[in-house]
Amino acid sequence: EPISWRTPALPYDFPHLEFVQSDPTRMAPGMTLFDVYSEYYAVIVDAFGEVRWFYRAPEEYSRYRLLRNGNIICVPGYGSYITELDWFGRAIHTWYAANNRITPVGTIPVAVNNFHHNVDEMPSGNLVALAQENRVISNYPTSANDPTAPTARARVVGDQIVEFTQEGLIVKRYSLFDIL
């Protein structure tokens, strides 16, 4: 059911947003959701730059996305979890990066080291996210500038793309180590 919403006055610490230009005839209908990363705000503006909704996160959330169910999903800056929020900022679901950690009560464990930067919803309803991967690699270059430098065994941090169900079960995992 549609609800009526009136945006309250912007708080004193709300970031300054400058509306420069808009041509609604050349835009998709609707509003735009984005984060002001340095200020911990999620913001929705209309085609004329008017703030229609905002949310001040209690910590450094980023990469807000709108889910098909109407809720918002985001990754905090330090990446140990992903949260689905309702429009009032209440956590609906929290998926926790469970490798090498104790999963907090009430969260859904996902077998990854850490999440970062982005999460999106797949057409199936599954989530896809970037996650951290650690590997020990033999013959790893010891210099980024000297091609004749010796190689050595090194622990390297890389990325992987993981698709997981709403219940936290990993469906697919693509290691960027393997792809590259």
Side-chain angles (χ1 to χ4, degrees), residues 37 39-41 55-62 64 76-78 81:
Y37 188 72
E39 304 293 333
Y40 300 0
Y41 275 101
Y55 169 67
R56 177 141 171 62
E59 56 189 300
E60 196 173 296
Y61 287 170
S62 66
Y64 293 84
Y78 57 85
Y81 62 92

Side-chain angles (χ1 to χ4, degrees), residues 129-152:
L130 286 174
Q132 182 187 71
E133 178 181 8
N134 301 321
R135 267 202 201 170
V136 174
I137 298 178
S138 299
N139 299 319
Y140 195 79
T142 58
S143 171
N145 301 319
D146 180 3
T148 63
T151 60

Side-chain angles (χ1 to χ4, degrees), residues 75 79-82 95-97 110 112 114-116 129-131 162 164:
V75 182
S80 60
Y81 62 92
I82 293 170
W95 295 269
Y96 195 79
V110 181
V112 297
N114 215 355
F115 295 110
H116 65 91
L130 286 174
V162 292
F164 57 95

